[in-house]
C-alpha cells in the first residue's frame, strides 16, 4: 500500500517568507509526527497529533512554527518569517493508534533551504 | 531529558563481516526502542522495534538487543553486504511521551 507522502520534496525560499509543508499519512494511521533533521542538531521531534486529542507541541522551536491536521488525516506544517537556521529536512511519520504496534513510518521528507 | 548516543559514528568494513552497532540512552524509563536505516537523501526505514519488556528482536540478518536497566541496545548485522551501506539510527520512545528521541547515527560503509 501507499506509504507516507510529503510535498514538496524540495523548497527554496527567501528569508522572511512563509512556507507550508504537507504530509499525507498512511491510511488508517491516527498518529502523525513531524521531525526536523539538520546538520547541526540531528533528528529532533517537533509536534505529534493523535486522533482528536490536543497535539503535543513541546518540540516546536519557536512561535513561528505551527501545524494543523485537518479531518484526522493530512497535516500541514507552517513556518512563518523563515530564517536561515530553519534550513533542514522536515520529516513526517505516522503510526497506528497507541496500544497496537508503535512503529513509526516515515515519509521521504521535504528539504527546505532558506536563502 | 533523554539523551541517545551511538557509537561508532562511522564504520567501514569488508563484505561478509559480522558487525555490531551500539546505542546508549540516559533514562531507562522507555516504552520502546527502534532501529532505523536511512539512505542518502531518503527518509527513514524502520528495521526493528523492541518493546521495553522484550530483550531482543530478529529480522533476517539483523538482531537487536535491549538492556533497559543499563540503558543499552545493540544492532547486530550478520554477513554484511554492500547493500547494507547506510546510516543506522537508534531512537527511544519514553514512557508517557510519543515522540522519539534519536541518536546521531552510525554511518556504515560495506566494501565489496
Amino acid at each position: 500500500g501507499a506509504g507516507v507522502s510529503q510535498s514538496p520534496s524540495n523548497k527554496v525560499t527567501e528569508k522572511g517568507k512563509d512556507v507550508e509543508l504537507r504530509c499525507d499519512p498512511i491510511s488508517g494511521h491516527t498518529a502523525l509526527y513531524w521531525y526536523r533533521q539538520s546538520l547541526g542538531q540531528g533528528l529532533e521531534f517537533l509536534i505529534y497529533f493523535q486522533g482528536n486529542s490536543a497535539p503535543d507541541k513541546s518540540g516546536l522551536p519557536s512561535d513561528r512554527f505551527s501545524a494543523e491536521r485537518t479531518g484526522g488525516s493530512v497535516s500541514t506544517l507552517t513556518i512563518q518569517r523563515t530564517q536561515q537556521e530553519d534550513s533542514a529536512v522536515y520529516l513526517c511519520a505516522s503510526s497506528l493508534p497507541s496500544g497496537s504496534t508503535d512503529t513509526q513510518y516515515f515519509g521521504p521528507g521535504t528539504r527546505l533551504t532558506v536563502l | 531529558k533523554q539523551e541517545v548516543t551511538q557509537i561508532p559514528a562511522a564504520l567501514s568494513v569488508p563484505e561478509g563481516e559480522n558487525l555490531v552497532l551500539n546505542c546508549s540512552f540516559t533514562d531507562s524509563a522507555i516504552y520502546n526502542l527502534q532501529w532505523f536505516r536511512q539512505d542518502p537523501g531518503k527518509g527513514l526505514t524502520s528495521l526493528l522495534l523492541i518493546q521495553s519488556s522484550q530483550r531482543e528482536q530478529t529480522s533476517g540478518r539483523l538482531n537487536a538487543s535491549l538492556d533497559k536497566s543499563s540503558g543499552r541496545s545493540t544492532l547486530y548485522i550478520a554477513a554484511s553486504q554492500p547493500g547494507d551501506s547506510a546510516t543506522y539510527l537508534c531512537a527511544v520512545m519514553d514512557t508517557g511521551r510519543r515522540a522519539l528521541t534519536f541518536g546521531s547515527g552510525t554511518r556504515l560503509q560495506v566494501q565489496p
Side-chain angles (χ1 to χ4, degrees), chain A:
Chain A
V4 177
S5 61
Q6 293 185 244
S7 61
S9 56
N10 281 283
K11 177 72 176 179
V12 180
T13 190
E14 294 180 347
K15 177 181 173 181
K17 300 284 189 182
D18 298 351
V19 295
E20 285 189 351
L21 312 179
R22 178 187 168 106
C23 172
D24 283 88
I26 294 172
S27 178
H29 282 195
T30 59
L32 187 147
Y33 311 77
W34 283 98
Y35 295 87
R36 177 170 73 173
Q37 188 172 32
S38 55
L39 282 177
Q41 300 296 324
L43 226 159
E44 54 183 348
F45 164 76
L46 297 176
I47 187 169
Y48 158 66
F49 295 90
Q50 173 62 60
N52 295 321
S53 302
D56 176 356
K57 304 179 182 180
S58 60
L60 294 179
S62 78
D63 58 8
R64 297 185 296 104
F65 288 72
S66 64
E68 63 178 20
R69 190 177 184 193
T70 55
S73 181
V74 171
S75 176
T76 302
L77 177 69
T78 301
I79 309 173
Q80 296 178 311
R81 305 181 302 281
T82 52
Q83 304 294 313
Q84 288 182 332
E85 60 263 28
D86 298 335
S87 295
V89 176
Y90 289 81
L91 293 163
C92 175
S94 69
S95 69
L96 286 167
S98 175
S100 57
T101 176
D102 296 297
T103 300
Q104 293 187 19
Y105 297 88
F106 282 76
T110 293
R111 181 174 297 278
L112 175 65
T113 303
V114 182
L115 301 177

Side-chain angles (χ1 to χ4, degrees), chain B residues 26 36 55 73:
Chain B
T26 55
F36 292 89
R55 299 283 294 187
S73 175

Side-chain angles (χ1 to χ4, degrees), chain B residues 25 30 33 50-52 54-55 64-68 72:
Chain B
F25 46 95
I30 67 169
L33 182 145
I50 310 176
Q51 299 289 359
S52 62
Q54 297 174 324
R55 299 283 294 187
S65 67
L66 173 64
D67 184 341
K68 199 173 73 163
R72 295 183 183 182

